[in-house]
Amino acid sequence: MNAMNFNFLCGDPPPASERNVGIIGAGPSGLAAAGYLSCLGYQVEVYDKLPKAGGLMLFGIPGHRIPKERVETGVRRMAKKYGVVFHPRTKICCSAPLHDEEGDHFCSDVRGLGDLVKKHDAIIICTGSWRSRRLGIPGESLPGVMAGLEFLFPIRAAGYAGPGIKAPDVAGKTVAVIGAGHSAVDVVHSAIFLGAAKVHLLYRRTKNEAPCGSYEIDRLEAAGALWHESVAPLRFTGQDRVTGVEIREKALGQPGPDGKRCALPDSEHVTVIDADLVVTAIGETATPPFAKELGLENVRKGEVRWLHMTDIENVFVAGDALTGPSKIGKAVYSGLRAARSLANWLDLKDQDRLADYPYDDLVAREADRFPGGRLHR
């Protein structure tokens, strides 16, 4: 099986440079940035709270989508051949409470962001999206109601002997999954694989409007999942533990000229879907450290002094930490672009030529060079 090649921009390692760069986060964007900068001969150190590098590629996405061996072999190659130093189980603290995100309990070392700023010539924050979104409806705090990442993370993490980490017990149980993105698809596949007796998938729109695509829904149905479309969860039922999901359901008419099906008049009714476990797989949010202090909202808008640079001059940001949850390809692209911007900035700084390049002009030309590359969402 071919390893992921994070150093695809170079062959043999280049001559060593005196520059030292720190990268916070070892997911797709962080590994892409590490590969780019180590191809320039930089000494690169990568800090991540998890026991292995790879981020959600390793700890969130099931192995049938991304085999963990491809990620792990690529990381080992980068460390051995290009000298990238990895600091696992290391949390860079913190503007949110510790243990507020998935994976925090793996940490055995906590370091301050300020310490890294002083230690390295520059750093890139690539911390990803590790906090699950919530529906905010009654009963969501009941035992047995889980978020998508809360369900998926232990399945991949259980093999790393973290404290109290074990895969969810769903064998012989009925599971209800809310959502229709790739996270929801992964939850359904995993629940079936773990032996769930019945799996319901609930979505507020139709199969043709599902973010994962109708093909994925068809595959889930073929695997035995029960698809419910145009339903809205109202509350989770149960006293000491969840027993089901109360939903508002709409009957749909025939497809119109645009292929969409509209709700029939006076067709709404409320019903309950029984479930032993409910997973709200509706996405994640980014949790970068000190987002306000670093001015990340301004970076998202493109109101920056230098592409991908935060309010701290030698701190850059990339990937989901900047844009919010995205696909792996976009995260890789963001990491590469931030790494190149960082390298250009260090070059001009060493030459004392930063004043020769208007920041606004640089940002505009960079965005124009890459179609769709502007940082506006």
Side-chain angles (χ1 to χ4, degrees):
M1 184 176 294
N2 293 332
M4 288 189 175
N5 182 11
F6 301 107
N7 294 87
F8 63 90
L9 291 173
C10 62
D12 294 330
S17 165
E18 294 183 357
R19 290 176 180 168
N20 187 297
V21 174
I23 296 175
I24 306 173
S29 60
L31 292 175
Y36 184 99
L37 295 171
S38 59
C39 275
L40 297 178
Y42 291 17
Q43 175 59 60
V44 179
E45 298 186 47
V46 183
Y47 304 84
D48 195 273
K49 64 184 178 181
L50 300 175
K52 293 277 188 177
L56 287 176
M57 292 190 296
L58 206 64
F59 290 92
I61 300 175
H64 68 271
R65 290 188 183 274
I66 300 180
K68 68 177 184 178
E69 294 79 12
R70 293 194 63 204
V71 181
E72 291 177 337
T73 305
V75 169
R76 285 196 299 269
R77 177 177 179 269
M78 186 156 51
K80 184 176 180 180
K81 187 173 182 179
Y82 296 91
V84 176
V85 176
F86 289 90
H87 300 276
R89 300 179 184 266
T90 301
K91 174 83 171 182
I92 307 304
C93 225
C94 291
S95 52
L98 200 59
H99 305 301
D100 192 43
E101 309 165 11
E102 290 299 327
D104 278 1
H105 40 272
F106 275 112
C107 298
S108 58
D109 186 14
V110 178
R111 305 191 189 185
L113 179 63
D115 295 335
L116 264 63
V117 171
K118 295 175 183 177
K119 175 181 177 180
H120 298 287
D121 296 320
I123 66 173
I124 306 179
I125 296 174
C126 305
T127 46
S129 301
W130 286 97
R131 185 182 299 149
S132 296
R133 295 182 185 277
R134 299 288 178 174
L135 282 170
I137 61 176
E140 196 164 16
S141 61
L142 283 170
V145 179
M146 306 176 70
L149 192 56
E150 186 182 0
F151 180 90
L152 290 170
F153 179 82
I155 297 174
R156 297 299 293 270
Y160 296 101
I165 297 290
K166 61 180 181 178
D169 179 16
V170 300
K173 298 179 179 179
T174 298
V175 179
V177 182
I178 299 171
H182 288 291
S183 292
V185 170
D186 291 341
V187 170
V188 174
H189 274 302
S190 297
I192 293 172
F193 176 78
L194 292 172
K198 185 182 294 184
V199 182
H200 299 273
L201 181 58
L202 294 73
Y203 184 52
R204 60 195 175 94
R205 293 177 179 162
T206 66
K207 179 187 296 187
N208 291 332
E209 297 169 287
C212 65
S214 59
Y215 172 74
E216 289 286 358
I217 303 299
D218 291 339
R219 288 184 63 215
L220 294 179
E221 289 187 289
L226 303 173
W227 168 251
H228 305 262
E229 61 182 27
S230 297
V231 300
L234 302 176
R235 67 183 182 95
F236 300 109
T237 61
Q239 295 294 325
D240 299 324
R241 184 174 179 83
V242 71
T243 58
V245 188
E246 184 180 286
I247 60 171
R248 182 175 63 245
E249 190 171 7
K250 299 178 182 179
L252 300 178
Q254 295 298 315
D258 58 358
K260 294 183 178 181
R261 300 168 62 195
C262 297
L264 296 173
D266 303 319
S267 65
E268 287 190 2
H269 67 281
V270 175
T271 186
V272 174
I273 294 179
D274 294 332
D276 304 302
L277 182 74
V278 180
V279 184
T280 57
I282 56 173
E284 293 76 43
T285 59
T287 53
F290 304 107
K292 183 177 180 180
E293 292 83 349
L294 291 171
L296 296 194
E297 185 59 34
N298 293 332
V299 184
R300 293 186 187 103
K301 296 176 181 178
E303 298 171 359
V304 292
R305 298 170 298 163
W306 195 272
L307 193 71
H308 284 269
M309 182 184 280
T310 69
D311 282 352
I312 299 178
E313 193 176 45
N314 65 335
V315 178
F316 294 72
V317 62
D320 289 5
L322 175 61
T323 64
S326 64
K327 295 182 178 179
I328 290 175
K330 289 185 177 180
V332 168
Y333 166 74
S334 180
L336 292 172
R337 195 165 77 152
R340 186 175 66 174
S341 179
L342 179 153
N344 290 342
W345 178 77
L346 285 176
D347 284 341
L348 293 171
K349 182 182 178 184
D350 286 350
Q351 299 167 25
D352 197 24
R353 297 176 59 205
L354 286 172
D356 297 339
Y357 292 83
Y359 294 131
D360 292 342
D361 182 55
L362 277 174
V363 172
R365 285 191 287 115
E366 179 74 7
D368 292 341
R369 182 175 178 180
F370 294 95
R374 285 197 180 276
L375 298 179
H376 298 286
R377 293 195 66 196

